[in-house]
Amino acid sequence: MSNETEALMLKAVLEQYATPDPKIVGMITKNGVNLDFVGHAEITRILIEIDPMWNWQPAAWVDGRPAIHESNGVATMWGNLTLLNKTLTGVGTANTVMTTRTGEKFNKPDYEKELIGDFLRNAAMRFGICLNLWSKQDRDQPATVSAPMQEAKQNHPASPMTIKQIEEVFTKPATVTSIGGLISDKQKGLISKLAKEKLNGDVIPSIQEMFSKDNLNTLTTKEGSELIKHIMNLQTGAPEEPF
């Protein structure tokens, strides 16, 4: 993938996925501050929507398991997320010890699942996914979100989550049934952006050739992802003449 294509892809993903649907945004309390966040399952759904062939790998393996560094009750894992054939590095952290209201401490079960979820959110953010939920280089401060999202949250305020609810969000299996549904508005926006740059705005010939259909709105989520990858792989400009 050329540098030009990579830049185009990152810009298009940023424009379509930087601000998540307020319906999937939860709230978590960290150091006494309420922070907006999107759960592991929803991040996975977004990744599938953009590219069903996405994958991630830890930066290193130890005895067949991802290499995890633990210090002072905090686990850290570095890894690489690949989306639309572009790989970026991310990091996840999770507490390995929980403290009850009475001050009793005990080891957190399944903290690896929480660690992977945090890594995916961080790495996905590098692609621009849910970027507007992150503050400027400081996760201890409230994130800045768009005016529509602020209005939605005022009309439907979210309550701080309990420890049990947080655990359920981090360990809930990703829902992938939507992959066979109709193409999403986010996908259509991404396709429109890419088509303007690579197809002079006319995506219908590609739809006809690939799926024997005449309307973008009739594509499935899976077909939309395939179309995005197809457009990304197209060469821009006239081919060079051989020597």
Side-chain angles (χ1 to χ4, degrees), residues 40 94 109-118 170-172:
H40 179 189
D110 296 331
Y111 73 86
E112 290 95 341
K113 295 179 181 178
E114 181 179 337
L115 183 60
I116 292 172
D118 193 65
F170 284 133
T171 59
K172 178 182 177 182

Side-chain angles (χ1 to χ4, degrees), residues 120-160:
L120 287 179
R121 280 188 293 276
N122 179 271
M125 180 268 293
R126 308 298 173 188
F127 285 93
I129 297 172
C130 300
L131 180 63
N132 288 345
L133 294 186
W134 294 73
S135 60
K136 296 180 180 179
Q137 305 299 322
D138 187 355
R139 294 195 60 190
D140 288 340
Q141 298 298 324
T144 300
V145 297
S146 64
M149 182 176 294
Q150 291 285 16
E151 181 179 353
K153 285 187 166 295
Q154 291 174 0
N155 295 334
H156 304 282
S159 300

Side-chain angles (χ1 to χ4, degrees), residues 19-144:
T19 301
D21 185 339
K23 294 179 182 178
I24 68 172
V25 178
M27 184 179 291
I28 187 172
T29 300
K30 181 177 181 181
N31 296 332
V33 178
N34 291 333
L35 301 175
D36 294 325
F37 83 110
V38 173
H40 179 189
E42 290 297 339
I43 288 294
T44 301
R45 181 189 60 77
I46 292 172
L47 293 173
I48 292 173
E49 184 174 282
I50 297 173
D51 179 9
M53 301 304 293
W54 73 276
N55 69 81
W56 75 274
Q57 293 286 334
W61 295 89
V62 177
D63 297 329
R65 301 179 63 181
I68 298 175
H69 174 72
E70 294 185 43
S71 178
N72 297 323
V74 177
T76 303
M77 181 187 72
W78 288 85
N80 299 308
L81 174 65
T82 300
L83 187 70
L84 295 172
N85 298 322
K86 171 68 175 179
T87 300
L88 295 176
T89 299
V91 62
T93 60
N95 291 328
T96 61
V97 177
M98 298 184 68
T99 304
T100 66
R101 293 181 178 179
T102 60
E104 181 183 0
K105 295 184 178 181
F106 60 94
N107 293 331
K108 182 185 293 184
D110 296 331
Y111 73 86
E112 290 95 341
K113 295 179 181 178
E114 181 179 337
L115 183 60
I116 292 172
D118 193 65
F119 158 75
L120 287 179
R121 280 188 293 276
N122 179 271
M125 180 268 293
R126 308 298 173 188
F127 285 93
I129 297 172
C130 300
L131 180 63
N132 288 345
L133 294 186
W134 294 73
S135 60
K136 296 180 180 179
Q137 305 299 322
D138 187 355
R139 294 195 60 190
D140 288 340
Q141 298 298 324
T144 300

